[in-house]
Amino acid sequence: MHPAYSVIFFTTASGTGYGLLGLLGILVASGHLPADPVLGLVGLGLAMALITGGLLSSMAHLGHPERFLRALTQWRSSWLSREGVASILTYGPLAWLGIGWVFFADAPEAWRLAGPIAAVLCLITVWCTGMIYASLPTVPQWHTVRTNWAYVALAVAGGALLLNVLRLPWAPFEPLFAIMAIVGLALGWMAKESYWRHADSGTGRITAESATGLGALGKVRLFESPHTQSSYLMQEMGYRLARRHATRLRTLVRVLLFAVPAILVVVAALFANAASGAADRAPGLDQAAAQQRSAALELVATAQTKEEEDRAALAVVMADAAESAAAAEHASAANLRMLGIIAALLALFPAGLGLIVERWLFFAEAKHVVTLYYGAERA
């Protein structure tokens, strides 16, 4: 299938936005995220921007974008229509959660209920997105529940990676968020490997023999090509991608989308843990330095003999050294924390690029059964 950039942007951006919104809703309802208005504004604002940007991009794929409301009327039979309805319904609890989180943080019980509702609607919306493709028997590679699980798992992974960065100003070291990001990436990797094994196994693949019902007579091949050159139908339904290129792109997805972000998340957690330890030690060093400084000043004030003056001078030097050690510990905590933030931010870039490559490959590798009537041996 021809990879349309508007659909690639829609599925990657909105999927990540729904993953982030769902995790925010669950964690704030369970009390694992603080009821801080700034965190609510930034987190929910980013999720809404990704979701809305993706939905607007999907309208560009419609033949008549001005008629997009008609696409919502076929929800009884169309997964595309159901996805549109679910995505619009999600704005209700999103607005409820956002208003309560930002403006009524002092009364959390009144708005935290919106979190689980938003999470369920996010799951339904992403599942419907996967069903748009999984419900098509005419594209055998997509016609499996593995497609849905891959969409859901990658949405969770993208949302967890974003949340791992957003929570840093409020919780510099919190293992839960790093674990969530690692688990999300692991689920995404397993779901994608399962999908690729299904696509390579040939399960459900349709051949020219099975499509024509003439397989019992032997090999079926075209008597004559219906076109003398490439047509719109073949360009859209039978996108050509060499096997060796697909293999390289799959390896690129494994590295960029799963391996590198997982390593950077672990590195960020290690830096954050070290910064937390340094920050815990710093107050004790401050107190010890203050005590030594006080004792040194007392010796300086009471010194009368040469020996007492020497002891006072030594005490001043030791107090200076203690203050330097405390300052170094503070600087070490700040530097380690900054390195953790940089590592967590860097994890987003390869993951985003890997997700775009994965989604492009998802479309480019799939073939419609109509290609059988244009010379393809199987679809």
Side-chain angles (χ1 to χ4, degrees), residues 70-144:
R70 292 188 177 181
L72 304 178
T73 62
Q74 307 303 313
W75 56 272
R76 293 182 181 84
S77 58
S78 168
W79 283 104
L80 177 64
S81 181
R82 291 166 187 162
E83 178 209 34
V85 172
S87 65
I88 291 175
L89 291 177
T90 307
Y91 279 95
L94 172 60
W96 178 11
L97 183 62
I99 293 172
W101 197 342
V102 175
F103 299 105
F104 302 98
D106 295 335
E109 301 303 327
W111 53 266
R112 280 184 173 171
L113 180 61
I117 298 175
V120 171
L121 286 173
C122 288
L123 176 61
I124 293 174
T125 304
V126 177
W127 187 268
C128 288
T129 303
M131 279 304 297
I132 294 174
Y133 308 104
S135 64
L136 296 176
T138 51
V139 185
Q141 292 97 327
W142 293 348
H143 191 52
T144 169

Side-chain angles (χ1 to χ4, degrees), residues 257-323:
L257 181 53
F258 303 119
V260 175
I263 293 172
L264 288 173
V265 168
V266 172
V267 170
L270 293 176
F271 277 129
N273 185 30
S276 179
D280 291 341
R281 291 190 297 272
L285 293 175
D286 287 336
Q287 186 177 5
Q291 291 175 349
Q292 290 193 11
R293 175 64 64 185
S294 177
L297 292 176
E298 185 177 351
L299 287 175
V300 169
T302 59
Q304 294 181 353
T305 64
K306 177 64 176 173
E307 292 181 351
E308 291 175 343
E309 289 177 353
D310 291 343
R311 285 200 298 272
L314 180 60
V316 170
V317 172
M318 293 178 65
D320 291 341
E323 289 177 349

